[in-house]
Amino acid sequence: MSRLKWNFKKYLDFLKAYGFIFGYVSGSHHFYNGRINGQDRVVQAIFSKKETGCQSNRTMSMGIKHSGIPRSFFEEWSKTGTVHKEIIY
């Protein structure tokens, strides 16, 4: 599967579209809280000079895992802006 090359802002826009809200900041790590499929989730996005162009592949992989949102939804949102509201509760 291809790498998701998302910058910090695009990643945050995605999280916000799925109902995640800002939690706190610890250095360059920004934590967002959400509820997906009835489970509370915490996801981090990294804002640093090292990841200015895009979030690292590891950051995105961990974001997919921790958010509970399928990778296909990330890819679909990137192309069409579709949000699957049925998983947000």
Coordinates of all heavy atoms in Angstrom, one line a residue:
M1 N 0.8 -1.2 0.0 CA 0.0 0.0 0.0 C 0.9 1.2 0.0 O 1.9 1.3 0.6 CB -0.9 0.0 1.2 CG -2.2 0.6 1.0 SD -3.4 0.3 2.3 CE -4.3 -1.1 1.5
S2 N 0.4 2.3 -0.6 CA 1.3 3.5 -0.8 C 1.3 4.3 0.6 O 0.4 4.1 1.4 CB 0.7 4.4 -1.9 OG -0.6 4.8 -1.5
R3 N 2.3 5.1 0.7 CA 2.5 5.9 1.9 C 1.6 7.1 1.9 O 1.3 7.7 0.8 CB 4.0 6.3 1.9 CG 4.3 7.2 3.1 CD 5.8 7.5 3.1 NE 6.0 8.3 4.3 CZ 6.7 9.4 4.3 NH1 7.2 9.9 3.2 NH2 6.8 10.1 5.4
L4 N 1.0 7.4 3.0 CA 0.2 8.6 3.2 C 1.2 9.8 3.4 O 1.8 9.8 4.5 CB -0.8 8.5 4.3 CG -1.9 7.4 4.2 CD1 -2.6 7.3 5.5 CD2 -2.8 7.8 3.1
K5 N 1.3 10.7 2.5 CA 2.2 11.8 2.6 C 1.3 13.0 3.0 O 1.0 13.8 2.1 CB 3.0 12.1 1.3 CG 3.9 11.0 1.0 CD 4.8 11.3 -0.2 CE 5.7 10.2 -0.4 NZ 6.6 10.4 -1.6
W6 N 1.0 13.2 4.3 CA 0.2 14.2 4.7 C 1.0 15.2 5.6 O 1.8 14.8 6.4 CB -0.9 13.7 5.6 CG -2.0 13.0 4.9 CD1 -2.0 12.6 3.6 CD2 -3.3 12.6 5.4 NE1 -3.2 11.9 3.2 CE2 -4.0 11.9 4.3 CE3 -3.9 12.7 6.6 CZ2 -5.2 11.4 4.5 CZ3 -5.2 12.2 6.8 CH2 -5.8 11.6 5.7
N7 N 0.8 16.5 5.4 CA 1.4 17.5 6.2 C 0.6 17.6 7.5 O -0.5 17.0 7.7 CB 1.6 18.8 5.5 CG 0.3 19.5 5.2 OD1 -0.7 19.3 5.8 ND2 0.4 20.3 4.2
F8 N 1.2 18.3 8.5 CA 0.6 18.5 9.8 C -0.9 19.0 9.7 O -1.8 18.5 10.3 CB 1.4 19.4 10.6 CG 1.0 19.7 12.0 CD1 1.2 18.7 13.0 CD2 0.3 20.9 12.4 CE1 0.7 18.9 14.3 CE2 -0.1 21.1 13.7 CZ 0.1 20.1 14.6
K9 N -1.1 20.0 8.9 CA -2.4 20.7 8.8 C -3.5 19.7 8.2 O -4.6 19.6 8.7 CB -2.4 21.9 8.0 CG -3.7 22.7 7.9 CD -3.7 23.9 7.2 CE -5.0 24.7 7.0 NZ -6.2 24.0 7.2
K10 N -3.1 19.0 7.2 CA -4.0 18.0 6.5 C -4.4 16.9 7.5 O -5.5 16.5 7.6 CB -3.4 17.4 5.3 CG -4.3 16.5 4.5 CD -3.7 16.1 3.2 CE -4.6 15.2 2.5 NZ -4.0 14.8 1.2
Y11 N -3.4 16.5 8.3 CA -3.7 15.4 9.3 C -4.6 15.9 10.4 O -5.6 15.2 10.7 CB -2.3 15.0 9.9 CG -2.4 13.8 10.8 CD1 -3.2 12.7 10.6 CD2 -1.5 13.7 11.9 CE1 -3.3 11.6 11.4 CE2 -1.5 12.6 12.8 CZ -2.4 11.6 12.5 OH -2.4 10.5 13.4
L12 N -4.4 17.2 10.8 CA -5.3 17.7 11.8 C -6.7 17.9 11.2 O -7.7 17.7 11.9 CB -4.8 19.1 12.4 CG -3.5 19.0 13.2 CD1 -3.2 20.4 13.8 CD2 -3.6 18.0 14.3
D13 N -6.8 18.4 10.0 CA -8.1 18.5 9.4 C -8.9 17.2 9.3 O -10.1 17.2 9.5 CB -8.0 19.1 7.9 CG -7.5 20.6 7.9 OD1 -7.6 21.2 9.0 OD2 -7.1 21.0 6.9
F14 N -8.2 16.1 9.0 CA -8.8 14.8 9.0 C -9.3 14.4 10.4 O -10.4 14.0 10.5 CB -7.8 13.8 8.5 CG -8.3 12.4 8.6 CD1 -9.1 11.8 7.6 CD2 -8.0 11.6 9.7 CE1 -9.6 10.5 7.7 CE2 -8.5 10.3 9.8 CZ -9.3 9.8 8.8
L15 N -8.5 14.6 11.4 CA -8.9 14.2 12.7 C -10.1 15.1 13.2 O -11.0 14.5 13.8 CB -7.7 14.5 13.7 CG -6.5 13.5 13.6 CD1 -5.4 13.9 14.5 CD2 -6.9 12.1 13.8
K16 N -10.1 16.3 12.9 CA -11.2 17.2 13.3 C -12.5 16.8 12.5 O -13.6 16.8 13.1 CB -10.9 18.7 13.0 CG -9.8 19.2 14.0 CD -9.4 20.6 13.6 CE -8.3 21.1 14.6 NZ -7.8 22.4 14.2
A17 N -12.3 16.4 11.3 CA -13.5 15.9 10.5 C -14.1 14.7 11.1 O -15.3 14.5 11.0 CB -13.1 15.6 9.0
Y18 N -13.3 13.9 11.8 CA -13.8 12.7 12.5 C -14.1 12.9 13.9 O -14.2 12.0 14.7 CB -12.8 11.5 12.3 CG -13.1 10.8 11.0 CD1 -12.5 11.2 9.8 CD2 -14.0 9.7 10.9 CE1 -12.8 10.5 8.6 CE2 -14.3 9.1 9.7 CZ -13.7 9.5 8.6 OH -13.9 8.8 7.4
G19 N -14.2 14.2 14.3 CA -14.7 14.5 15.7 C -13.6 14.6 16.7 O -13.9 14.7 17.9
F20 N -12.4 14.5 16.4 CA -11.3 14.6 17.4 C -11.1 16.1 17.8 O -11.2 17.0 17.0 CB -10.0 14.1 16.8 CG -9.9 12.6 16.8 CD1 -10.5 11.9 15.8 CD2 -9.2 11.9 17.8 CE1 -10.5 10.5 15.7 CE2 -9.2 10.5 17.8 CZ -9.8 9.8 16.7
I21 N -10.9 16.3 19.1 CA -10.7 17.6 19.6 C -9.3 17.7 20.3 O -8.8 16.7 20.8 CB -11.8 18.1 20.6 CG1 -11.9 17.1 21.8 CG2 -13.1 18.2 19.9 CD1 -12.8 17.6 22.9
F22 N -8.8 18.9 20.3 CA -7.5 19.1 20.9 C -7.5 18.7 22.4 O -8.4 19.1 23.1 CB -7.1 20.6 20.8 CG -5.8 20.9 21.4 CD1 -4.6 20.6 20.9 CD2 -5.8 21.6 22.6 CE1 -3.4 20.9 21.5 CE2 -4.6 21.9 23.3 CZ -3.4 21.5 22.7
G23 N -6.4 18.0 22.8 CA -6.3 17.6 24.1 C -5.2 18.4 24.8 O -5.5 19.2 25.7
Y24 N -3.9 18.2 24.4 CA -2.8 18.9 25.0 C -1.6 18.8 24.1 O -1.6 18.0 23.1 CB -2.5 18.4 26.4 CG -2.0 16.9 26.5 CD1 -0.6 16.7 26.5 CD2 -2.9 15.9 26.4 CE1 -0.2 15.4 26.6 CE2 -2.4 14.6 26.5 CZ -1.1 14.3 26.6 OH -0.6 13.0 26.6
V25 N -0.6 19.6 24.5 CA 0.7 19.6 23.7 C 1.8 19.2 24.7 O 1.8 19.7 25.8 CB 1.0 21.0 23.1 CG1 2.4 21.0 22.5 CG2 -0.1 21.4 22.1
S26 N 2.7 18.4 24.2 CA 3.9 18.0 25.0 C 5.1 18.2 24.0 O 5.3 17.3 23.2 CB 3.8 16.6 25.5 OG 5.0 16.3 26.2
G27 N 5.7 19.3 24.1 CA 6.8 19.6 23.1 C 6.2 19.8 21.7 O 5.4 20.6 21.5
S28 N 6.7 19.0 20.8 CA 6.2 19.0 19.4 C 5.1 18.1 19.2 O 4.5 18.0 18.1 CB 7.4 18.7 18.5 OG 7.9 17.4 18.7
H29 N 4.7 17.3 20.2 CA 3.6 16.3 20.0 C 2.3 16.9 20.5 O 2.1 17.4 21.6 CB 3.9 15.1 20.9 CG 5.1 14.4 20.4 ND1 5.1 13.1 19.9 CD2 6.4 14.7 20.5 CE1 6.3 12.8 19.6 NE2 7.2 13.7 19.9
H30 N 1.3 16.9 19.5 CA 0.0 17.4 19.8 C -1.0 16.2 19.9 O -1.0 15.4 19.0 CB -0.5 18.3 18.6 CG 0.4 19.6 18.5 ND1 -0.2 20.8 18.5 CD2 1.7 19.7 18.3 CE1 0.8 21.7 18.4 NE2 1.9 21.1 18.2
F31 N -1.7 16.2 21.0 CA -2.6 15.1 21.2 C -4.0 15.5 21.0 O -4.5 16.5 21.5 CB -2.4 14.5 22.6 CG -1.0 13.9 22.8 CD1 0.1 14.7 23.2 CD2 -0.8 12.5 22.6 CE1 1.3 14.1 23.3 CE2 0.4 12.0 22.7 CZ 1.5 12.8 23.1
Y32 N -4.8 14.6 20.4 CA -6.2 14.9 20.1 C -7.0 13.7 20.6 O -6.6 12.5 20.5 CB -6.4 15.1 18.6 CG -5.9 16.4 18.1 CD1 -4.6 16.7 17.9 CD2 -6.8 17.5 18.0 CE1 -4.1 17.9 17.6 CE2 -6.4 18.8 17.6 CZ -5.0 19.0 17.4 OH -4.6 20.2 17.1
N33 N -8.2 14.0 21.2 CA -9.1 13.0 21.8 C -10.3 12.9 20.9 O -10.9 13.9 20.4 CB -9.5 13.4 23.2 CG -8.3 13.7 24.1 OD1 -7.4 12.8 24.1 ND2 -8.3 14.8 24.8
G34 N -10.8 11.6 20.7 CA -12.0 11.4 20.0 C -12.7 10.1 20.4 O -12.1 9.4 21.3
R35 N -13.8 9.8 19.9 CA -14.5 8.6 20.2 C -14.9 8.0 18.8 O -15.7 8.5 18.1 CB -15.8 8.9 21.0 CG -16.5 7.8 21.6 CD -17.4 8.2 22.7 NE -18.1 7.1 23.3 CZ -17.6 6.3 24.3 NH1 -16.4 6.6 24.7 NH2 -18.3 5.3 24.8
I36 N -14.4 6.8 18.6 CA -14.6 6.1 17.3 C -15.1 4.7 17.7 O -14.5 4.0 18.5 CB -13.3 5.9 16.5 CG1 -12.8 7.3 16.1 CG2 -13.6 5.1 15.2 CD1 -13.7 8.2 15.2
N37 N -16.3 4.3 17.1 CA -16.9 3.0 17.3 C -17.1 2.8 18.8 O -16.9 1.7 19.3 CB -16.1 1.9 16.7 CG -16.2 1.9 15.2 OD1 -17.2 2.2 14.6 ND2 -15.1 1.5 14.5
G38 N -17.5 3.8 19.6 CA -17.8 3.7 21.0 C -16.6 3.6 21.9 O -16.7 3.4 23.1
Q39 N -15.4 3.7 21.4 CA -14.1 3.7 22.2 C -13.5 5.1 22.2 O -13.3 5.7 21.1 CB -13.2 2.6 21.7 CG -13.6 1.2 21.8 CD -12.5 0.2 21.5 OE1 -11.8 0.5 20.6 NE2 -12.5 -0.9 22.1
D40 N -13.0 5.5 23.4 CA -12.3 6.7 23.5 C -10.9 6.5 22.9 O -10.3 5.5 23.1 CB -12.1 7.2 24.9 CG -13.5 7.6 25.5 OD1 -14.3 8.1 24.7 OD2 -13.7 7.5 26.7
R41 N -10.4 7.5 22.1 CA -9.1 7.3 21.4 C -8.3 8.6 21.6 O -8.8 9.7 21.8 CB -9.4 7.2 19.9 CG -10.2 6.0 19.5 CD -9.5 4.7 19.7 NE -10.3 3.7 19.1 CZ -9.8 2.5 18.8 NH1 -8.5 2.3 18.9 NH2 -10.6 1.6 18.3
V42 N -7.0 8.4 21.7 CA -6.0 9.5 21.7 C -5.0 9.3 20.6 O -4.4 8.2 20.5 CB -5.3 9.5 23.1 CG1 -4.3 10.7 23.1 CG2 -6.2 9.7 24.2
V43 N -4.9 10.3 19.8 CA -4.0 10.3 18.6 C -3.1 11.5 18.7 O -3.4 12.6 19.1 CB -4.8 10.4 17.3 CG1 -4.0 10.3 16.1 CG2 -5.8 9.2 17.2
Q44 N -1.8 11.2 18.3 CA -0.9 12.3 18.3 C -0.5 12.7 16.8 O -0.4 11.9 15.9 CB 0.4 12.0 19.1 CG 1.3 11.0 18.4 CD 2.6 10.8 19.2 OE1 3.0 11.7 20.0 NE2 3.3 9.7 19.0
A45 N -0.2 14.0 16.7 CA 0.4 14.6 15.5 C 1.6 15.3 15.9 O 1.7 15.9 17.0 CB -0.6 15.5 14.8
I46 N 2.6 15.2 15.1 CA 3.9 15.8 15.4 C 4.2 17.0 14.6 O 4.1 17.0 13.3 CB 5.1 14.8 15.3 CG1 4.8 13.6 16.2 CG2 6.4 15.5 15.6 CD1 5.8 12.5 16.0
F47 N 4.4 18.2 15.2 CA 4.8 19.4 14.5 C 6.2 19.7 14.8 O 6.6 20.1 15.9 CB 3.9 20.6 15.0 CG 4.1 21.8 14.3 CD1 3.7 22.0 13.0 CD2 4.8 22.9 14.9 CE1 3.9 23.2 12.3 CE2 5.1 24.1 14.2 CZ 4.6 24.2 12.9
S48 N 7.1 19.4 13.9 CA 8.5 19.7 14.1 C 9.2 20.0 12.7 O 8.6 19.7 11.7 CB 9.2 18.4 14.7 OG 9.2 17.4 13.8
K49 N 10.3 20.6 12.8 CA 11.1 20.9 11.6 C 11.4 19.6 10.8 O 11.4 19.6 9.6 CB 12.3 21.6 11.9 CG 12.1 23.0 12.4 CD 13.4 23.7 12.7 CE 13.1 25.1 13.2 NZ 14.3 25.9 13.6
K50 N 11.6 18.5 11.5 CA 11.9 17.3 10.8 C 10.8 16.8 10.0 O 11.0 16.2 8.9 CB 12.3 16.2 11.9 CG 12.7 14.9 11.3 CD 13.0 13.9 12.4 CE 13.3 12.6 11.8 NZ 13.6 11.6 12.9
E51 N 9.5 17.0 10.4 CA 8.4 16.6 9.7 C 7.6 17.7 9.1 O 6.3 17.6 9.0 CB 7.5 15.8 10.7 CG 8.2 14.5 11.2 CD 7.3 13.6 11.9 OE1 6.1 13.6 11.8 OE2 7.9 12.7 12.7
T52 N 8.2 18.8 8.7 CA 7.6 19.9 8.1 C 6.8 19.6 6.8 O 5.7 19.9 6.7 CB 8.6 21.1 7.8 OG1 9.2 21.5 9.0 CG2 7.9 22.3 7.2
G53 N 7.5 18.9 5.9 CA 6.9 18.5 4.7 C 5.7 17.6 4.8 O 4.7 17.7 4.2
C54 N 5.9 16.5 5.6 CA 4.8 15.6 5.8 C 5.1 14.8 7.1 O 6.3 14.7 7.6 CB 4.7 14.6 4.7 SG 6.1 13.6 4.4
Q55 N 4.1 14.2 7.7 CA 4.2 13.4 8.8 C 5.0 12.1 8.4 O 4.8 11.6 7.3 CB 2.8 13.0 9.4 CG 2.0 14.1 9.8 CD 2.5 14.8 11.1 OE1 2.4 14.2 12.2 NE2 3.1 16.0 11.0
S56 N 5.8 11.6 9.3 CA 6.6 10.4 8.9 C 5.7 9.2 8.7 O 4.5 9.2 9.2 CB 7.6 10.1 10.0 OG 7.0 9.6 11.2
N57 N 6.1 8.2 8.0 CA 5.4 7.0 7.8 C 5.0 6.4 9.1 O 3.9 5.9 9.3 CB 6.1 6.1 6.9 CG 5.3 5.0 6.3 OD1 4.1 5.3 5.9 ND2 5.8 3.8 6.2
R58 N 5.9 6.4 10.1 CA 5.6 5.8 11.4 C 4.5 6.6 12.1 O 3.6 6.0 12.7 CB 6.9 5.8 12.2 CG 6.7 5.1 13.6 CD 7.9 4.9 14.3 NE 7.6 4.2 15.6 CZ 8.4 4.1 16.6 NH1 9.6 4.6 16.5 NH2 8.1 3.5 17.7
T59 N 4.6 7.9 12.1 CA 3.5 8.7 12.7 C 2.2 8.4 12.1 O 1.2 8.3 12.8 CB 3.8 10.2 12.6 OG1 5.1 10.5 13.2 CG2 2.8 11.1 13.2
M60 N 2.1 8.3 10.8 CA 0.8 8.0 10.1 C 0.3 6.6 10.5 O -0.8 6.4 10.7 CB 0.9 8.2 8.6 CG 1.1 9.7 8.2 SD -0.2 10.8 8.8 CE -1.6 10.2 7.9
S61 N 1.2 5.7 10.5 CA 0.9 4.3 10.8 C 0.3 4.2 12.2 O -0.7 3.5 12.5 CB 2.1 3.3 10.7 OG 2.4 3.3 9.3
M62 N 1.0 4.9 13.2 CA 0.5 4.9 14.5 C -0.8 5.6 14.7 O -1.7 5.3 15.4 CB 1.5 5.5 15.5 CG 2.8 4.7 15.6 SD 2.5 3.0 16.1 CE 2.1 3.2 17.8
G63 N -1.0 6.7 13.9 CA -2.2 7.4 13.8 C -3.4 6.6 13.4 O -4.5 6.6 14.0
I64 N -3.2 5.8 12.4 CA -4.2 4.9 11.9 C -4.6 3.9 13.0 O -5.7 3.6 13.3 CB -3.7 4.2 10.6 CG1 -3.6 5.2 9.5 CG2 -4.7 3.0 10.2 CD1 -2.9 4.7 8.2
K65 N -3.6 3.3 13.6 CA -3.8 2.3 14.6 C -4.5 2.9 15.8 O -5.5 2.3 16.3 CB -2.4 1.7 15.1 CG -2.5 0.7 16.1 CD -1.2 0.2 16.5 CE -1.3 -0.8 17.7 NZ 0.1 -1.3 18.1
H66 N -4.0 4.0 16.3 CA -4.6 4.6 17.5 C -6.0 5.2 17.3 O -6.8 5.3 18.3 CB -3.6 5.6 18.1 CG -2.4 5.0 18.7 ND1 -1.2 5.7 18.8 CD2 -2.1 3.8 19.2 CE1 -0.3 4.9 19.3 NE2 -0.8 3.7 19.5
S67 N -6.2 5.7 16.1 CA -7.5 6.3 15.9 C -8.7 5.3 15.8 O -9.8 5.6 16.0 CB -7.5 7.2 14.6 OG -7.4 6.3 13.5
G68 N -8.3 4.1 15.3 CA -9.4 3.1 15.1 C -10.1 3.3 13.8 O -11.1 2.7 13.6
I69 N -9.6 4.2 13.0 CA -10.2 4.5 11.7 C -9.5 3.7 10.6 O -8.2 3.8 10.6 CB -10.2 6.0 11.4 CG1 -10.9 6.8 12.5 CG2 -10.8 6.3 10.0 CD1 -10.7 8.3 12.4
P70 N -10.2 2.9 9.8 CA -9.5 2.1 8.8 C -8.7 3.0 7.8 O -9.1 4.1 7.5 CB -10.6 1.4 8.0 CG -11.8 1.5 9.0 CD -11.6 2.7 9.8
R71 N -7.6 2.5 7.4 CA -6.7 3.2 6.4 C -7.4 3.6 5.2 O -7.2 4.7 4.6 CB -5.5 2.3 6.0 CG -4.5 3.0 5.1 CD -3.4 2.1 4.7 NE -2.5 2.7 3.8 CZ -1.4 3.3 4.1 NH1 -1.0 3.3 5.3 NH2 -0.7 4.0 3.2
S72 N -8.4 2.8 4.7 CA -9.1 3.1 3.5 C -9.9 4.4 3.7 O -10.1 5.1 2.8 CB -10.1 2.0 3.1 OG -11.0 1.7 4.2
F73 N -10.4 4.7 4.9 CA -11.1 5.9 5.2 C -10.1 7.1 5.1 O -10.5 8.2 4.7 CB -11.7 5.9 6.6 CG -12.9 5.0 6.7 CD1 -13.3 4.1 5.7 CD2 -13.7 4.9 7.9 CE1 -14.4 3.2 5.8 CE2 -14.8 4.1 8.0 CZ -15.1 3.2 7.0
F74 N -8.9 7.0 5.5 CA -7.9 8.0 5.4 C -7.7 8.3 3.9 O -7.7 9.5 3.5 CB -6.5 7.6 6.0 CG -6.4 7.7 7.4 CD1 -7.0 6.8 8.3 CD2 -5.6 8.8 8.0 CE1 -6.8 6.9 9.7 CE2 -5.5 8.9 9.4 CZ -6.1 8.0 10.2
E75 N -7.5 7.3 3.1 CA -7.3 7.4 1.7 C -8.5 8.1 1.0 O -8.4 8.9 0.1 CB -6.9 6.1 1.0 CG -5.6 5.6 1.5 CD -5.3 4.1 1.1 OE1 -6.3 3.4 0.7 OE2 -4.2 3.7 1.3
E76 N -9.7 7.6 1.3 CA -10.9 8.1 0.7 C -11.1 9.6 1.1 O -11.5 10.4 0.2 CB -12.1 7.3 1.2 CG -13.4 7.7 0.6 CD -14.6 6.8 1.0 OE1 -14.4 5.8 1.8 OE2 -15.7 7.1 0.6
W77 N -10.9 10.0 2.4 CA -11.0 11.4 2.8 C -10.1 12.2 2.0 O -10.4 13.3 1.6 CB -10.8 11.5 4.3 CG -11.0 12.9 4.8 CD1 -12.1 13.5 5.1 CD2 -10.0 13.9 4.9 NE1 -11.9 14.8 5.5 CE2 -10.6 15.1 5.4 CE3 -8.6 13.9 4.7 CZ2 -9.9 16.3 5.6 CZ3 -7.9 15.1 4.9 CH2 -8.5 16.2 5.4
S78 N -8.9 11.7 1.8 CA -7.8 12.5 1.0 C -8.3 12.8 -0.4 O -8.0 13.9 -0.9 CB -6.5 11.7 1.0 OG -5.5 12.4 0.4
K79 N -9.0 11.8 -1.0 CA -9.4 12.0 -2.4 C -10.7 12.8 -2.5 O -10.9 13.6 -3.4 CB -9.5 10.6 -3.1 CG -8.2 9.9 -3.2 CD -8.4 8.6 -3.8 CE -7.1 7.8 -3.8 NZ -7.2 6.4 -4.2
T80 N -11.7 12.4 -1.7 CA -13.0 13.0 -1.9 C -13.6 13.8 -0.7 O -14.6 14.5 -0.9 CB -14.1 11.8 -2.1 OG1 -14.1 11.0 -0.9 CG2 -13.7 11.0 -3.3
G81 N -12.9 13.8 0.4 CA -13.4 14.5 1.6 C -14.6 13.8 2.3 O -15.2 14.4 3.1
T82 N -14.8 12.5 2.0 CA -15.9 11.8 2.6 C -15.6 11.4 4.0 O -14.5 10.9 4.3 CB -16.2 10.5 1.8 OG1 -16.4 10.8 0.4 CG2 -17.3 9.7 2.4
V83 N -16.5 11.7 4.9 CA -16.4 11.4 6.3 C -17.5 10.3 6.6 O -18.7 10.5 6.3 CB -16.7 12.6 7.2 CG1 -16.6 12.2 8.7 CG2 -15.6 13.7 7.0
H84 N -17.1 9.2 7.2 CA -18.0 8.1 7.6 C -18.5 8.4 9.0 O -17.9 7.9 10.0 CB -17.2 6.7 7.5 CG -16.9 6.4 6.1 ND1 -17.7 5.6 5.3 CD2 -15.8 6.7 5.4 CE1 -17.1 5.5 4.1 NE2 -15.9 6.1 4.1
K85 N -19.6 9.1 9.0 CA -20.2 9.5 10.3 C -20.7 8.3 11.1 O -20.8 8.4 12.4 CB -21.3 10.5 10.1 CG -20.8 11.8 9.5 CD -21.8 12.8 9.4 CE -21.4 14.1 8.7 NZ -20.5 14.9 9.4
E86 N -20.9 7.2 10.5 CA -21.4 6.0 11.2 C -20.5 5.5 12.3 O -20.9 4.7 13.2 CB -21.9 4.9 10.3 CG -20.7 4.2 9.5 CD -20.3 4.9 8.2 OE1 -20.7 6.0 8.0 OE2 -19.5 4.3 7.5
I87 N -19.2 5.8 12.2 CA -18.2 5.3 13.2 C -17.9 6.3 14.3 O -17.2 6.0 15.2 CB -16.9 4.9 12.5 CG1 -16.1 6.1 11.9 CG2 -17.1 3.8 11.5 CD1 -14.7 5.8 11.5
I88 N -18.5 7.5 14.2 CA -18.3 8.5 15.2 C -19.4 8.5 16.2 O -20.5 8.9 16.0 CB -18.2 9.9 14.5 CG1 -17.2 10.0 13.4 CG2 -18.0 11.0 15.6 CD1 -17.3 11.2 12.6
Y89 N -19.1 7.9 17.4 CA -20.1 7.9 18.4 C -19.4 7.5 19.7 O -18.4 7.0 19.8 CB -21.3 7.0 18.2 CG -21.0 5.5 18.0 CD1 -21.0 4.7 19.1 CD2 -20.7 5.0 16.8 CE1 -20.8 3.3 19.0 CE2 -20.5 3.6 16.7 CZ -20.5 2.8 17.8 OH -20.2 1.5 17.6

